[in-house]
């Protein structure tokens, strides 16, 4: 039925990056595509909190980081992120700067004022508009690194792995 409609193929849920690349390769007449790193079991690489009010961003980030072996939790506001920080020890937090209820910078300031190891968790702030003034405000709030949106999955995984290693070394 799909072929009659002119489709070169179809995908089955849950969608996996390897399946997507395979189907795109078939559609492009077996053009060789980039090989993906091997998938790890969730939690093997650490745990990540994604604080982003955009559900599509959160889903894409979750998919990329789960495939990289991270256990992933999400929060739709800074207030939710702060609450989650009290419940779980995360390896790294990806914090959108602009969110409702409590923005990412205020959530970061409050996380940094928590008692215990949660206050030392690396926080990568994400925003679409980076400027020198914003970078300074992020540093003042306690952000570990500022990254520009949109962020592609390989870069996201690289940041998560890097900051998870930093967090693990600091905890030892």
């Amino acid at each position: 039925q799909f072929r009659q409609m002119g489709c070169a193929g179809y995908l089955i849920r849950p969608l996996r990056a390897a399946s997507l690349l395979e189907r795109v390769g078939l559609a492009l007449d077996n053009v060789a595509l980039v090989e993906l790193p091997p998938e790890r079991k969730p939690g093997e690489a650490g745990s990540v909190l994604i604080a982003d009010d955009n559900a599509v961003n959160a889903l894409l980030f979750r998919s990329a980081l789960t495939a990289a072996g991270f256990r992933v939790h999400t929060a739709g506001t800074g207030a939710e992120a702060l609450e989650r920080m009290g419940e779980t020890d995360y390896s790294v937090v990806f914090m959108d700067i602009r969110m409702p209820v409590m923005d990412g910078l205020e959530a970061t300031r409050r996380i940094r004022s928590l008692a215990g190891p949660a206050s030392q968790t690396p926080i990568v702030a994400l925003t679409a508009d980076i400027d020198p003034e914003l970078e300074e405000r992020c540093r003042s709030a306690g952000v570990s690194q500022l990254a520009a949106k949109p962020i592609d999955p390989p870069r996201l995984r690289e940041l998560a792995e890097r900051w998870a290693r930093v967090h693990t070394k600091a905890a030892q």
Side-chain angles (χ1 to χ4, degrees):
Q1 181 181 6
F2 286 111
R3 295 214 192 285
Q4 290 173 346
M5 293 170 41
C7 296
Y10 59 92
L11 295 165
I12 299 171
R13 287 184 181 173
L15 185 61
R16 297 210 173 264
S19 300
L20 182 60
L21 285 174
E22 177 188 37
R23 290 298 168 189
V24 169
L26 291 172
L28 295 174
D29 229 358
N30 292 319
V31 172
L33 296 173
V34 177
E35 190 172 313
L36 292 174
E39 288 192 10
R40 294 188 265 182
K41 294 178 184 170
E44 232 175 36
S47 59
V48 173
L49 175 61
I50 299 166
D52 197 318
D53 62 322
N54 182 312
V56 174
N57 283 344
L59 179 65
L60 293 173
F61 295 169
R62 175 190 288 272
S63 177
L65 294 174
T66 299
F70 287 93
R71 185 176 54 255
V72 181
H73 296 157
T74 59
T77 69
E80 286 180 34
L82 184 60
E83 185 179 322
R84 301 262 188 298
M85 291 298 292
E87 300 168 351
T88 304
D89 180 28
Y90 293 102
S91 306
V92 63
V93 175
F94 287 95
M95 181 80 70
D96 184 21
I97 294 208
R98 291 197 170 95
M99 289 184 287
V101 182
M102 180 188 299
D103 70 20
L105 294 181
E106 181 60 25
T108 298
R109 282 190 279 281
R110 292 190 187 190
I111 289 167
R112 293 297 181 229
S113 70
L114 293 172
S119 67
Q120 301 303 310
T121 303
I123 298 174
V124 178
L126 301 171
T127 185
D129 35 78
I130 294 180
D131 63 57
E133 180 186 312
L134 179 60
E135 289 182 46
E136 180 54 38
R137 288 187 9 235
C138 286
R139 267 193 296 280
S140 296
V143 166
S144 307
Q145 182 175 348
L146 182 62
K149 281 182 174 181
I151 187 165
D152 64 341
R155 175 74 174 137
L156 184 70
R157 284 191 297 269
E158 174 191 320
L159 288 171
E161 289 168 354
R162 176 175 164 241
W163 284 109
R165 280 193 305 273
V166 167
H167 182 65
T168 300
K169 285 180 185 176
Q172 293 176 344

